[in-house]
Amino acid sequence: MAHFLRGKQAGIQRDFSAGLDPQLFALDEVTRYGVNSQLSAIAYDPVQSLLAVGTNESKFGSGQIYVFGQKRVSVTLKLPRKASVKTLQFCADKLISVDTKNDLSIFSLETTRVLTSYSPPGAITCIATDPVLDYALIGLQNDEGEVIAYDLDRQNLAPFRIPNLWREQNPKSRFQPVVTLSFHPRHIGNLLIGYSDGAVVFSFQLNKATRFFKYDGPPGGPGGAARLTQTLWHPTGTFIFGGYEDSTFVIWDAKDGRQILARTLDGTDSGPTQPTPGTGRGTFAVREPLFKVAWCAKENPDDTGLLFAGGRPTTEANKGLTFLDLGPTPVYATSSWQVLTDHFVKPKRQHILPTPPNAEVVDFCLIPRKSPYFTGASDPIAVIAILASGEMVTMSFPSGHPISPTNQLHISLSFVHPFVDKISMGYVDRTKWLGLVESRSKGPPFLKGGAEAKRSLMRYAHRNILQTAHADGTIRLYDAGHGDEVENEDVLQIDVARAIGRYENIDVACMSMAGATAEFAVGLRTGEVAIFRWDRNSNYGRDVPHKENHAFGLENITDRAEPNMKEGLSPLTLLDQQQGCVSALKMSDVGFVCAGFEGGSVAVIDLRGPAVIFDASLADLGHTGAKRSSFRRQTVGQQGVEWPTVIEFGVMSLEGEDYSSILIFVGTSTGRLVTFKLLPEASGGYSVKLAGSCSVDDKVISLTPINVDTGEPAIATPEVVGSLRTGARVNGSLLAVTSTGARIFKPVAAKGAHKSWDDSVCYQAAVARFEAHTYALVGLFGDGTAKAFSIPGLKELASVDVSYVLDIRRLADDIMTPTGFIFGWTGPSEIVALNVFGSGQDLTRSLDKLFNPEALIPPRPTISNLQWISGTTYVTPADMDKLIGGPDRPPSKRMVEQMRADEHAQRMSARQNVASSSSQQPPGRQEEGYWAYMQRQIQERTDNLGITGDNMDRLEDNSEGFSKDVNKFIKDQKKAA
């Protein structure tokens, strides 16, 4: 009976929750954004134009693999066991993963499922794959230190294996694990194997080691006692790079094994190691190990450079990536030894690709233009670096200019580019959002693969525009959807640091968006409020200096728009009240902004000026005119500073009034609700007047004005405000939710219905609509549940557990939407969208397509003509199949498909040249395929053999006739004689 009495007390005659059954309240996991843990591995496929990242195992779950393509294309792959991802490599139509449990997992890009998983007899230290081979070579850390081969097509272990070759060089060495594996960039028959003490070149054709490489340095010199950690081929295979754990690297001649030089990034070292000076007097610094090295090449493979992660002194604040531009390689056959040495001793230039201060790069991935060979370092245009914190940084290559992930990478990667500090939600009409397409100059996209699955479209629903504030002061806005098709997939970007005028201490506290006007407000913890408006940049392409311009309590910041943005959300004005952190912020759809500060003040801005039209302290407002309905004694915390926590704009008639007004509702930290009126003036402006205040017992977390006639939200929209001029009246009530209860009443007095929560605390609440005209109050509670209550009776309708999905420690940071969606954090860098009016299903499995069968792998680079003339035997990928898989192994599925693709390409080429080739070839041969060609050759050979037989028969007959004629002539001559 209590809920019936609450409805009467609230003055609402209708039950807006009629028909809501508890069975309708079930969670659907609709979609996820972000990654579930720190990034640990990364790989890029230039043929399919896909990017894959792996994550570490954490308390939030096992490591996972995320594969991203163009726009919103995304697929999540799960490991067979709970582990962290160590290595990722693309190989043709497969993705290969090695995890910390030493499982080699093979995923199909075509089916987006795991094909098989293999656990070798030992720890996996490295793997080597090639797009033209169906094998993965695995280096082991067992007692033998051997290399085994796994057949990716047959999904079993191949008979081929390489024993520990370093024991041939040093029989006394006991434990020599395999450190690195890499195929020769032009001669696939040679394999470079790195061991702890040195490197070996293995020939598949000869089935033996052909060359050994070991660092020969002076006593006490760098690298002498260190272990080898990196080995690389020069892009032409002329030289070999070896990196050691003390940051020393060595260059060897690949042909005769001679050492060209040994040095560090600071210069050539030929004597004992000298300590690096530290930051303080009498101190020294230790160099970082070489985390990763890549030997890069331009379009000309002889024009190369070395890219290093690590190797810098540990005391340096800005380490970044180091690039040694070596320039064109001297011609090996005609260059002296001194010329070759100077090429590496004196690089063309050396510079740093900068990363954020105090950030340490532990891994990176180059983005090549088109070639999948040369270990992904052929003519790269960008580099993506993984930091020790698990974040990522994208830079152009080789210049090192930062590249924004906005509209370049998938939005999930933007959650770690850098980390997201805060999220908020805006609601924009579908047609309005379709027109908000940002125009910004940017580089060519390097993720163009995959195809999105078809989804249904909610045409008449407002779009959920998610706003993410990042640690570098960047805010991104995009359509998070309702699990439906997203028509406008573009991301909007705001540079708050540039708008404020500083690049340090940028910490976003509040965000608010007006969906009707495309205006956006940002509040910082340092007290500034920046307002942005959709506009064209009059200074596009120019970085103009800022001119101080203060008026009406605001600073004009329109000249701080980003130079590369032609049209988008541009800076408009800045408010700096010096009242502490912005605690509450609301951008209305009717041109007003209200901001609250932890210092206890409230400010209202009219954007038509813009101008500050109201600024007052809550303490100065007191309780004058307030009609209090609660006699609850204030606690010690309530006797301190009071600040706004929630702000909402509405249109309704106050108690005892026969007209409707634009109202501003301000909920405070002490449980007080303050109501203001926005009144028009004769001059055309507006003024703010205090209407009253009341107590709602505890900290206010949600305010929702309700039209008691329809149940719809009585918010301030342009249509409703425009109708006030004609005398329109809105009969409304206010639903105020606090951490301990909820009230429905007619402002400004708090007389109405009230309900207290039981033992749990409410962190988030919103009025959610189900279908057409059914509404319910949905809240997130500290006991890990989401509960629904009827309106106006506040009767509990249903409860569902969310603790198995959401991080209950961050429930206060989650979002409840008016459409019944929960956008909540599942970990430090991942959010999930839950539909409370679902059917209890997990809908997060992606149906996007990743593999494009028409994207063919280009031919592998081969040896040069000079090498072939000099006697180098070229080993083809077909020969490698026999050498590794054995002579009895039939062609793999991929080889057959490649053969069919070649046949199709020949047919298409023949069609294009049919006019020119018809005069030279018999009819019907222009579209001839490989198998048809073989059949025709056999038939022609058979026909030729038949013709030859006929000719022989004719020759025999002719010979017999000639013999008879000769015998007859002789007889006639005898008779005549």
Side-chain angles (χ1 to χ4, degrees):
M1 289 294 295
H3 58 280
F4 291 108
L5 293 176
R6 293 192 190 102
K8 297 296 183 180
Q9 293 172 352
I12 302 176
Q13 306 301 323
R14 294 181 53 188
D15 183 5
F16 298 120
S17 303
L20 270 182
D21 190 271
Q23 297 179 353
L24 298 175
F25 196 74
L27 286 184
D28 278 351
E29 292 189 38
V30 178
T31 187
R32 289 178 181 247
Y33 294 110
V35 293
N36 69 334
S37 184
Q38 292 179 320
L39 297 183
S40 59
I42 186 170
Y44 176 74
D45 183 3
V47 177
Q48 295 294 331
S49 192
L50 299 173
L51 181 71
V53 297
T55 61
N56 282 324
E57 177 187 359
S58 66
K59 61 182 179 181
F60 300 101
S62 174
Q64 292 183 342
I65 301 172
Y66 300 86
V67 185
F68 302 108
Q70 61 175 333
K71 297 182 179 179
R72 300 290 180 94
V73 174
S74 171
V75 172
T76 303
L77 306 174
K78 296 184 178 181
L79 299 176
R81 292 191 292 176
K82 191 175 182 180
S84 300
V85 180
K86 287 199 309 183
T87 305
L88 287 174
Q89 286 188 16
F90 284 98
C91 184
D93 60 343
K94 298 177 180 64
L95 177 63
I96 302 172
S97 164
V98 177
D99 57 42
T100 52
K101 296 291 179 65
N102 291 301
D103 287 337
L104 180 77
S105 302
I106 303 170
F107 299 90
S108 170
L109 296 178
E110 188 172 3
T111 62
T112 67
R113 295 182 182 274
V114 62
L115 296 176
T116 186
S117 180
Y118 170 69
S119 297
I124 300 177
T125 56
C126 56
I127 61 173
T129 60
D130 195 277
V132 299
L133 294 181
D134 289 318
Y135 302 92
L137 299 184
I138 306 172
L140 300 179
Q141 198 182 6
N142 54 11
D143 295 336
E144 301 296 328
E146 58 185 356
V147 177
I148 59 178
Y150 189 83
D151 194 329
L152 303 177
D153 184 73
R154 298 296 184 266
Q155 299 177 15
N156 55 21
L157 198 64
F160 179 83
R161 63 181 56 222
I162 303 174
N164 194 313
L165 302 175
W166 193 256
R167 290 178 180 173
E168 300 179 13
Q169 174 76 5
N170 185 10
K172 296 182 180 180
S173 61
R174 295 184 178 180
F175 186 68
Q176 285 293 323
V178 179
V179 177
T180 60
L181 293 171
S182 58
F183 288 102
H184 192 289
R186 292 184 174 274
H187 195 305
I188 200 172
N190 288 342
L191 179 69
L192 178 62
I193 307 175
Y195 298 96
S196 298
D197 290 348
V200 180
V201 172
F202 174 80
S203 172
F204 285 91
Q205 185 183 15
L206 303 177
N207 196 26
K208 67 175 185 179
T210 59
R211 190 69 61 190
F212 292 87
F213 304 90
K214 182 176 174 58
Y215 172 69
D216 296 323
R227 292 182 176 272
L228 183 72
T229 59
Q230 309 273 341
T231 59
L232 296 169
W233 288 100
H234 184 276
T236 61
T238 312
F239 306 100
I240 289 177
F241 171 94
Y244 288 81
E245 62 183 0
D246 66 346
S247 76
T248 305
F249 63 91
V250 183
I251 305 295
W252 292 290
D253 187 333
K255 187 174 182 180
D256 56 17
R258 288 188 296 174
Q259 178 179 308
I260 297 178
L261 89 161
R263 60 167 290 181
T264 63
L265 292 177
D266 298 330
T268 304
D269 289 316
S270 57
T273 303
Q274 300 295 328
T276 304
T279 55
R281 185 177 180 181
T283 63
F284 66 92
V286 180
R287 292 192 185 97
E288 295 176 324
L290 297 177
F291 297 114
K292 187 173 183 179
V293 185
W295 205 326
C296 314
K298 297 182 180 178
E299 190 173 1
N300 176 14
D302 283 317
D303 194 351
T304 69
L306 287 165
L307 183 63
F308 295 84
R312 308 298 305 176
T314 55
T315 54
E316 286 190 9
N318 301 317
K319 300 182 179 68
L321 296 171
T322 306
F323 181 63
L324 268 64
D325 189 354
L326 301 175
T329 306
V331 179
Y332 181 83
T334 59
S335 299
S336 64
W337 187 256
Q338 186 61 41
V339 171
L340 295 178
T341 303
D342 291 341
H343 174 68
F344 297 101
V345 172
K346 303 173 183 178
K348 186 177 178 181
R349 64 188 179 117
Q350 177 176 339
H351 68 277
I352 302 295
L353 280 68
T355 56
N358 300 316
E360 188 176 82
V361 178
V362 296
D363 195 6
F364 63 82
C365 174
L366 290 164
I367 308 296
R369 294 183 188 272
K370 55 184 178 180
S371 175
Y373 304 107
F374 302 102
T375 61
S378 172
D379 196 16
I381 61 173
V383 57
I384 302 178
I386 295 181
L387 307 181
S389 61
E391 298 169 284
M392 65 191 308
V393 177
T394 306
M395 296 172 284
S396 61
F397 186 84
S399 60
H401 297 304
I403 298 177
S404 172
T406 303
N407 296 319
Q408 271 285 12
L409 302 177
H410 192 276
I411 55 179
S412 289
L413 290 177
S414 68
F415 275 68
V416 289
H417 202 301
F419 284 138
V420 173
D421 292 334
K422 187 172 184 62
I423 62 173
S424 185
M425 187 69 70
Y427 312 102
V428 182
D429 181 73
R430 170 179 168 264
T431 55
K432 180 71 175 180
W433 178 250
L434 288 176
L436 298 181
V437 179
E438 187 180 76
S439 177
R440 184 188 296 266
S441 59
K442 58 182 180 179
F446 42 80
L447 288 184
K448 298 176 286 187
E452 294 183 71
K454 294 294 182 181
R455 297 177 176 88
S456 60
L457 174 63
M458 300 177 66
R459 294 183 178 273
Y460 306 105
H462 281 61
R463 306 308 301 173
N464 291 330
I465 308 305
L466 185 65
Q467 306 144 23
T468 59
H470 299 259
D472 60 351
T474 302
I475 295 179
R476 297 184 176 94
L477 302 88
Y478 46 86
D479 188 355
H482 308 80
D484 61 341
E485 181 181 351
V486 177
E487 296 174 290
N488 181 7
E489 298 176 320
D490 287 350
V491 181
L492 309 181
Q493 177 177 299
I494 293 175
D495 190 349
V496 179
R498 182 180 178 86
I500 297 298
R502 68 171 188 271
Y503 291 90
E504 296 179 355
N505 197 20
I506 304 296
D507 194 355
V508 176
C510 301
M511 295 176 286
S512 181
M513 183 178 187
T517 59
E519 294 168 333
F520 188 74
V522 181
L524 303 183
R525 296 194 181 279
T526 50
E528 298 93 342
V529 175
I531 299 174
F532 300 81
R533 174 181 288 171
W534 190 269
D535 199 1
R536 297 183 66 88
N537 184 9
S538 59
N539 297 318
Y540 173 67
R542 297 180 299 154
D543 192 1
V544 298
H546 175 63
K547 296 181 180 180
E548 296 286 341
N549 185 5
H550 296 267
F552 304 104
L554 300 171
E555 180 182 358
N556 187 350
I557 56 173
T558 55
D559 55 2
R560 285 178 174 169
E562 299 175 71
N564 65 337
M565 185 185 68
K566 189 174 184 180
E567 183 180 9
L569 285 171
S570 301
L572 176 64
T573 188
L574 177 66
L575 172 68
D576 189 3
Q577 290 284 83
Q578 300 292 330
Q579 288 289 323
C581 172
V582 180
S583 58
L585 184 64
K586 182 63 179 181
M587 171 73 75
S588 73
D589 289 336
V590 291
F592 298 97
V593 184
C594 184
F597 303 88
E598 285 190 352
S601 66
V602 177
V604 180
I605 303 173
D606 187 348
L607 294 181
R608 291 174 300 175
V612 178
I613 61 175
F614 181 79
D615 183 14
S617 172
L618 292 177
D620 296 337
L621 296 177
H623 300 283
T624 304
K627 300 180 181 179
R628 301 177 56 85
S629 64
S630 174
F631 298 95
R632 181 174 178 266
R633 180 180 300 177
Q634 290 185 334
T635 62
V636 176
Q638 290 174 320
Q639 296 174 357
V641 179
E642 180 185 26
W643 64 84
T645 57
V646 182
I647 300 174
E648 186 60 72
F649 285 81
V651 175
M652 66 175 66
S653 300
L654 293 178
E655 186 180 15
E657 296 180 351
D658 57 355
Y659 62 93
S660 296
S661 308
I662 305 175
L663 304 176
I664 304 177
F665 304 106
V666 180
T668 71
S669 58
T670 60
R672 193 156 63 107
L673 177 67
V674 184
T675 305
F676 300 94
K677 279 186 181 181
L678 275 169
L679 301 176
E681 295 182 334
S683 61
Y686 279 82
S687 62
V688 179
K689 178 184 177 182
L690 176 65
S693 66
C694 62
S695 175
V696 289
D697 298 339
D698 213 332
K699 176 184 175 181
V700 182
I701 62 173
S702 173
L703 293 173
T704 307
I706 300 174
N707 188 323
V708 298
D709 297 326
T710 62
E712 297 177 352
I715 58 177
T717 63
E719 296 79 12
V720 175
V721 172
S723 66
L724 295 180
R725 298 178 181 177
T726 61
R729 182 177 176 183
V730 178
N731 186 18
S733 292
L734 184 67
L735 174 56
V737 181
T738 68
S739 56
T740 58
R743 287 178 179 269
I744 301 181
F745 58 94
K746 194 171 186 65
V748 289
K751 296 178 181 178
H754 174 262
K755 178 178 176 61
S756 297
W757 314 132
D758 297 330
D759 299 329
S760 57
V761 177
C762 183
Y763 288 100
Q764 291 290 341
V767 174
R769 185 183 66 182
F770 176 73
E771 294 183 348
H773 301 288
T774 306
Y775 298 87
L777 174 64
V778 182
L780 284 175
F781 291 83
D783 57 356
T785 61
K787 299 179 182 180
F789 301 88
S790 64
I791 299 175
L794 297 179
K795 174 187 177 182
E796 183 174 334
L797 299 175
S799 176
V800 64
D801 182 27
V802 296
S803 60
Y804 71 96
V805 182
L806 301 179
D807 183 2
I808 60 175
R809 296 170 301 177
R810 300 188 66 179
L811 291 179
D813 300 328
D814 296 344
I815 300 171
M816 290 289 309
T817 74
T819 54
F821 275 74
I822 301 173
F823 286 83
W825 291 97
T826 62
S829 54
E830 184 184 43
I831 63 172
V832 62
L834 304 173
N835 182 12
V836 298
F837 299 121
S839 55
Q841 298 181 7
D842 185 358
L843 307 176
T844 56
R845 171 160 178 80
S846 175
L847 300 178
D848 297 340
K849 300 295 182 181
L850 295 177
F851 185 70
N852 179 15
E854 297 181 0
L856 301 180
I857 300 173
R860 196 180 196 277
T862 60
I863 59 176
S864 63
N865 295 333
L866 183 61
Q867 290 175 309
W868 183 77
I869 293 173
S870 63
T872 302
T873 303
Y874 177 62
V875 179
T876 65
D879 298 333
M880 292 289 290
D881 283 334
K882 295 180 181 179
L883 293 172
I884 299 177
D888 299 330
R889 182 182 184 271
S892 66
K893 301 173 186 177
R894 188 168 64 86
M895 292 175 62
V896 174
E897 292 177 357
Q898 186 74 20
M899 201 177 300
R900 291 175 180 172
D902 294 342
E903 180 181 339
H904 177 71
Q906 291 177 4
R907 288 200 304 267
M908 298 301 296
S909 177
R911 288 178 182 175
Q912 296 175 358
N913 301 326
V914 63
S916 60
S917 61
S918 58
S919 60
Q920 303 176 4
Q921 297 183 7
R925 294 189 185 179
Q926 289 83 2
E927 301 180 8
E928 186 176 51
Y930 177 78
W931 299 110
Y933 168 77
M934 292 295 295
Q935 185 178 2
R936 182 175 60 80
Q937 290 292 323
I938 295 174
Q939 183 65 36
E940 289 180 358
R941 177 170 294 191
T942 304
D943 295 341
N944 291 335
L945 289 175
I947 294 172
T948 303
D950 294 341
N951 292 335
M952 294 300 293
D953 293 341
R954 293 193 189 99
L955 179 61
E956 184 179 358
D957 294 341
N958 294 336
S959 300
E960 185 179 358
F962 177 77
S963 178
K964 290 181 180 179
D965 292 341
V966 171
N967 291 333
K968 183 179 179 181
F969 175 76
I970 294 174
K971 290 181 181 179
D972 292 343
Q973 291 298 321
K974 286 181 179 181
K975 291 179 180 180

